[in-house]
């Protein structure tokens, strides 16, 4: 576990422009000093992310928002007050100090205060903004343990802070607050229902080309196995046909149907929707470890965090339907 010495070392790494992987409640982030263009360029190179993609700036507390935002729209204020620290990112008009490398030249900057003790200790000790995408190579499955980060990034990261497994397991919900009405640009840890209750009105989900960026690309969060989302009563027939074609087949479902062919590798079933989110990326990694060709997934109910699980399953499979 992480102690004060580790935090000081991590701060020193950040101050000299290095990369620190750290836990958040959603997924592990690959962090650097958000004020340093050189550190940001190095981070992009390690991540393998094309230039021009923006990153989220993590802050120690709501009181830092004013430094990074030119103005704080009412919707951003309401949502941040209610959800921070927590799995919500808001996009607000950027302040002048925000480097272009953070926003990819966009007029808005994405900011969030994570709800994880190690992340908060690091942010408070650093006393500034830490830019951090998920700590995986571009397009791959996001890491939810320190070991996942090490497997994916190896010695390209200067320091990995191990804060145990992430409690939420899917990325933050991102709300763009720069337009006339706030819009969801990525569903995640905070459900749409909660945003609407806080705002007092309905909120749109926007999937336009304007903000096309890593987490919003159709194929993302992808393991090597083909992930196919289907209904529970379709699994048996689909699996039989795929097995007959000589493929290794797995199944991920809250309630796996008992009638699936014996050859199907049934991954440990999550106990409920929140647990599904928590273990989703671990199960996708497991599918690759087991060398599965196809992973069938039965979607959980779409309410609450279920919507984020469904979104990630579809993106893992490269579906263009969401
Ligand atoms: O839960 C999370 O959000 C995790 C943890 C580490 O905080 N971070 C994360 O970062 O998922 P990343 O980079 O993997 O995904 C952030 C998404 C990307 O789709 C990015 O394009 C979008 O947020 N984004 C970041 N800044 C933006 C901006 N200024 N305007 C529009 N989209 C932005
Ligand atoms: Mg990511």
């Amino acid at each position: 576990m992480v102690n004060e010495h580790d935090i000081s070392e991590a701060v020193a790494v950040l101050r000299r422009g290095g990369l620190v992987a750290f836990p958040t409640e959603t997924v592990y982030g690959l962090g650097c000093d958000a004020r340093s263009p050189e550190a940001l360029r190095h981070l992009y190179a390690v991540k393998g992310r094309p230039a021009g993609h923006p990153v989220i700036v993590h802050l120690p507390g709501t009181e830092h928002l004013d430094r990074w935002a030119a103005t704080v729209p009412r919707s951003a204020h309401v949502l941040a007050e209610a959800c921070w620290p927590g799995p919500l990112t808001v996009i607000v008009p950027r302040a002048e100090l925000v480097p272009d490398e953070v926003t990819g030249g966009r007029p808005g900057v994405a900011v969030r205060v994570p709800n994880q003790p190690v992340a908060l200790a690091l942010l408070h000790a650093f006393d500034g903004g830490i830019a951090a995408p998920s700590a995986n190579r571009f397009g791959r499955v996001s890491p939810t343990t320190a070991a996942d980060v090490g497997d994916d990034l190896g010695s390209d990261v200067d320091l990995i802070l191990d804060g145990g497994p992430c409690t939420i397991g899917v990325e933050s919900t991102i709300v763009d607050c720069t337009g006339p009405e706030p819009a969801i640009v990525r569903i995640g840890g905070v459900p749409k229902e909660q945003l609407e209750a806080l705002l007092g009105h309905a909120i749109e989900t926007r999937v336009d080309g304007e903000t096309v960026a890593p987490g919003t690309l159709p194929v993302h969060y992808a393991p090597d196995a083909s992930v196919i989302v289907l209904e529970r009563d379709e699994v048996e027939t689909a699996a039989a046909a795929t097995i007959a074609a000589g493929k290794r087949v797995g199944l991920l479902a809250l309630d796996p149907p008992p009638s699936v062919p014996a050859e199907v590798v049934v991954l440990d079933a999550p106990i409920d929707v929140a647990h599904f989110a928590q273990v989703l990326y671990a199960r996708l990694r497991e599918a690759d470890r087991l060398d599965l060709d196809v992973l069938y997934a039965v979607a959980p109910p779409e309410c609450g965090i279920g919507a984020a699980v469904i979104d990630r399953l579809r993106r893992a499979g490269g579906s263009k339907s969401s």
Side-chain angles (χ1 to χ4, degrees):
M1 271 294 149
V2 172
N3 59 32
E4 256 173 56
H5 172 78
D6 301 319
I7 296 291
S8 319
E9 199 186 329
V11 169
V13 170
L14 293 173
R15 295 226 188 284
R16 63 168 187 261
L19 304 181
V20 174
F22 63 98
T24 81
E25 76 280 41
T26 58
V27 300
Y28 273 70
L30 179 63
C32 77
D33 180 353
R35 299 282 302 276
S36 164
E38 302 85 72
L40 286 154
R41 283 196 288 271
H42 177 47
L43 185 150
Y44 275 52
V46 163
K47 185 138 167 104
R49 184 183 265 193
H53 282 293
V55 284
I56 297 172
V57 178
H58 297 70
L59 303 175
T62 311
E63 67 284 0
H64 283 247
L65 182 54
D66 284 341
R67 296 186 205 170
W68 295 83
T71 55
V72 180
R74 204 192 70 87
S75 56
H77 181 78
V78 168
L79 296 176
E81 279 296 324
C83 300
W84 285 354
L88 174 81
T89 297
V90 291
I91 302 177
V92 291
R94 66 193 269 195
E96 253 174 56
L97 64 79
V98 182
D100 278 342
E101 285 78 2
V102 163
T103 63
R106 288 173 176 72
V109 61
V111 286
R112 91 173 183 103
V113 179
N115 187 17
Q116 208 285 351
V118 173
L120 288 170
L122 176 66
L123 285 159
H124 281 290
F126 184 64
D127 194 29
I130 299 178
S134 49
N136 52 283
R137 307 257 186 219
F138 183 66
R140 303 298 300 181
V141 177
S142 300
T144 50
T145 66
D148 293 341
V149 178
D151 288 348
D152 206 1
L153 299 178
S155 59
D156 283 349
V157 48
D158 298 301
L159 183 69
I160 302 175
L161 294 173
D162 186 351
C166 300
T167 53
I168 291 189
V170 292
E171 295 82 353
S172 60
T173 293
I174 306 179
V175 179
D176 185 353
C177 298
T178 59
E181 293 293 336
I184 297 173
V185 293
R186 181 180 71 187
I187 193 64
V190 177
K192 178 177 178 160
E193 299 90 314
Q194 191 181 338
L195 298 173
E196 294 185 332
L198 290 167
L199 292 168
H201 58 76
I203 182 166
E204 297 275 297
T205 299
R206 201 178 60 213
V207 278
D208 59 14
E210 277 290 288
T211 52
V212 163
T216 61
L217 291 175
V219 185
H220 202 62
Y221 313 104
D224 292 329
S226 309
V227 178
I228 299 173
V229 184
L230 35 60
E231 300 292 328
R232 190 167 182 271
D233 61 9
E234 295 170 333
V235 173
E236 194 179 338
T237 316
T242 310
I243 289 162
K247 302 236 161 92
R248 280 175 63 80
V249 174
L251 174 64
L252 175 59
L254 273 178
D255 184 18
S259 53
V260 293
E263 296 89 339
V264 173
V265 180
V266 182
L267 303 184
D268 272 355
I271 55 173
D272 57 25
V273 179
H275 189 229
F276 203 144
Q278 229 174 58
V279 300
L280 173 64
Y281 292 143
R283 295 290 187 277
L284 295 183
R285 285 169 189 275
E286 193 183 347
D288 282 348
R289 264 198 308 277
L290 293 167
D291 210 19
L292 300 179
D293 300 304
V294 176
L295 177 66
Y296 288 114
V298 178
E302 197 163 359
C303 54
I305 201 162
V309 173
I310 294 171
D311 174 81
R312 300 306 187 274
L313 283 171
R314 290 201 176 126
R315 289 184 202 282
S319 161
K320 297 186 193 326
S321 63
S322 70

